[in-house]
Amino acid sequence: MGQTIIEKIIQNHTKEDVKPGKIVWMNLDIRSARDFGGPNVVKNYEREYGNAPLAEREKTFFTFDLCVPACSLKYADNQQVCRQFAKKMGIKVFDVDSGIGSHVMIEEGLAQAVSTVVGTDSHLNILGAVGCFGQGMGDVDITFAFKTGKTWFEVPETLKIVVKGDYAFPATAKDLTLYVLKKLGTHKAALKAVEFYGEAVKDLSLSGRITLCSMVTEMAGIIGFVPETSDSLREEVRELSGSEFSPLQPDEDSAYSDELEIDISGITPQVAAPYSPDNVRNISELKGVKIDTGFIGSCTNGRTEDLAQAAQILKGRKIKDGVTLKVVPATKRVYKEILERGILEDLFRSGAIIGSPGCSGCAEGHVGLTGEGEVQVSTGNRNFAGKQGKGQTYLASPAVVAASCLAGQIVSPEDL
Amino acid sequence: MTESVFSGKIWVLLDQKGRLIEDIDTDQIYHNAFLHITDISQMGQHALGNLEGWKDFPQKVRPEDILVAGRNFGAGSSRQQAVDCFISLKVGLILAPSFGAIYFRNAVNSGFPVLKCPELDELVAKQILETGDEIKVDLRSSEGSNISKKTPFPVEPMSAVQYDIHQAGSLFSYGKESAG
């Protein structure tokens, strides 16, 4: 029997026979911790291992992306704890100016196809976008990984999803993603690896793949892959990461737990209503919901292409009085690109606030929090009750968030 | 060796309509406002602090009590605190039809017992398991017992790796005992 992508990647990192349901010990290529989780990793490490060396310091990183630069004394302390440990151990810190760790790892070529990467970020499986097995873990797992370079993992079953049909603006990669989440809910892909097929996903750019793969977490899946690639995608990843992009393909006779078809033909923009990401509706059902704030960013929609999509709508227009729009680039590199391409100016002139690169509101960072009664429309990936504050969060594409901030209510870009 | 038989009073996490609450995410279990806390003794007071109807759980629960939850318990983020807050309260065990993947790992690695009970929805609907019942489970057995009601119920025994890590006390002690 052949192997699926996840089985092949794990097989590349263990001597044991890999099959779904089996727990194996797996070698890790990269292990990382953030400014949340990181201080606990340091505390665990020093308690369990004292000053003993890490397995491989050159494969171990801190990526600060949560509260950057620190906006509370606690985070300032926690970041400093990590910096001091990093200095002592000789490991690199991507500090508070870098941006979202998972994105930095793609840009730096650390997260490569067929590699294994763990860290204290539950959306680290976005690395599936570049054919890499990324997995978020807790601080005990990550401490153990720092010391041993290994982890145990139950080989997941793989679900095959064929996305049929195509979409066109005002629908975007985010709407495709939300629509797939609507169809899968939190049951169908639970605890599984997912392989997405079909022309529409094959044609996704890196940023679109990141959007799709990031929300496999909300589908309760382990990781998502898009095996088929276009020439332009391979070129895009090579240019960004500085190395060849050659993701694995599954064997022809590999076994899937199930095969599902999702037809996205002619979808309209999709919006997830409070308080769960899979509570997805067609925008027509939510049109007219008054909003107070907009947020564009996060590991799901914080790339240059996402911000450009918003800027195209905002250019030459003004955000409605009384509405605030917060924009946070995923990384410093994205910040540089939007600066050089004039996107930053378009956003600024429309009245948007630009935050420093990072995760922002999703994890109680400093941008994108809501007060009681506040209604936010966000390009993030989670809208659980209380997550970004006491307000209500709707999840949508950068285009819908931009349009809604101009209108002061949820609208599709075509309604402007 | 750590204990492998657990008995205690259960708390069944029901919503206001009396249904087992599903998809309880880590922000409902342990809100991100308290992520800066690294001292485990301070975490218990925030357990279920953002779950409607259960915010007084830390005051009500007693050591060795058992938590019974709906499917996909611990969905969401990777925070270890969402497990540690129950260790802090000395909760004995958590039973659910399924757990969030990362949450499940975190519990296993901490040596905190979490057991899958695929038929839990039905057991709760038929009132075979109710808050206040005293139950007993063996981590390696596929049968639990409701002592109060003198009724057996099915559970999924721990896998070998999970059981070994639990017996060692944690992933750290397991790693030191075996080459890994």
Side-chain angles (χ1 to χ4, degrees), chain A residues 194-213:
Chain A
V194 182
E195 291 178 11
F196 294 101
Y197 293 88
E199 285 301 311
V201 294
K202 181 188 172 185
D203 290 343
L204 287 173
S205 64
L206 178 61
S207 131
R209 279 167 189 247
I210 285 175
T211 303
L212 175 63
C213 293

Side-chain angles (χ1 to χ4, degrees), chain A residues 47-311:
Chain A
R47 183 189 67 237
E48 297 292 331
Y49 307 119
N51 287 319
L54 304 157
E56 291 147 303
R57 63 182 178 83
E58 68 282 4
K59 293 184 174 181
T60 311
F61 301 91
F62 283 104
T63 58
F64 296 166
D65 52 18
L66 206 114
C67 196
V68 287
C71 53
S72 77
L73 297 176
K74 276 287 173 190
Y75 271 106
D77 282 342
N78 283 348
Q79 287 165 358
Q80 197 57 15
V81 164
C82 296
R83 285 188 196 103
Q84 283 164 351
F85 180 80
K87 196 172 176 191
K88 179 173 82 175
M89 292 296 183
I91 63 181
K92 182 171 172 58
V93 178
F94 289 99
D95 217 305
V96 295
D97 59 333
S98 307
I100 302 174
S102 54
H103 286 242
V104 170
M105 286 193 270
I106 293 175
E107 293 174 351
E108 295 284 324
L110 294 170
Q112 299 233 351
V114 208
S115 67
T116 53
V117 177
V118 296
T120 57
D121 175 358
S122 56
H123 281 102
L124 204 56
N125 54 4
I126 74 168
L127 301 180
V130 290
C132 164
F133 181 26
Q135 199 65 34
M137 292 184 178
D139 59 65
V140 170
D141 260 319
I142 299 303
T143 310
F144 188 80
F146 269 34
K147 182 69 183 79
T148 66
K150 291 178 181 181
T151 195
W152 60 271
F153 208 82
E154 182 177 335
V155 181
E157 294 184 305
T158 301
L159 170 68
K160 182 174 182 175
I161 294 178
V162 181
V163 177
K164 302 200 82 169
D166 212 344
Y167 62 90
F169 195 81
T172 66
K174 181 62 169 286
D175 303 296
L176 180 160
T177 301
L178 289 170
Y179 191 79
V180 169
L181 176 55
K182 172 157 75 175
K183 292 293 169 191
L184 292 180
T186 59
H187 291 232
K188 289 182 181 156
L191 306 180
K192 291 178 181 170
V194 182
E195 291 178 11
F196 294 101
Y197 293 88
E199 285 301 311
V201 294
K202 181 188 172 185
D203 290 343
L204 287 173
S205 64
L206 178 61
S207 131
R209 279 167 189 247
I210 285 175
T211 303
L212 175 63
C213 293
S214 74
M215 293 197 72
V216 170
T217 302
E218 282 59 51
M219 300 166 197
I222 297 289
I223 190 159
F225 297 107
V226 188
E228 298 168 306
T229 55
S230 61
D231 292 343
S232 61
L233 176 84
R234 287 191 294 275
E235 178 59 30
E236 186 186 356
V237 178
R238 187 171 59 214
E239 202 166 287
L240 186 69
S241 68
S243 49
E244 277 306 314
F245 178 53
S246 28
L248 280 179
Q249 299 300 316
D251 290 326
E252 273 182 29
D253 58 343
S254 55
Y256 295 92
S257 67
D258 205 356
E259 293 194 21
L260 299 175
E261 273 188 15
I262 297 178
D263 188 353
I264 57 155
S265 304
I267 56 166
T268 60
Q270 304 287 304
V271 179
Y275 291 102
S276 84
D278 62 324
N279 186 16
V280 178
R281 322 275 181 86
N282 291 326
I283 195 165
S284 57
E285 294 176 50
L286 294 167
K287 267 183 196 168
V289 171
K290 295 267 185 296
I291 62 156
D292 300 298
T293 41
F295 170 78
I296 298 173
S298 84
C299 61
T300 293
N301 277 123
R303 296 216 61 83
T304 305
E305 194 182 309
D306 299 312
L307 307 194
Q309 191 188 99

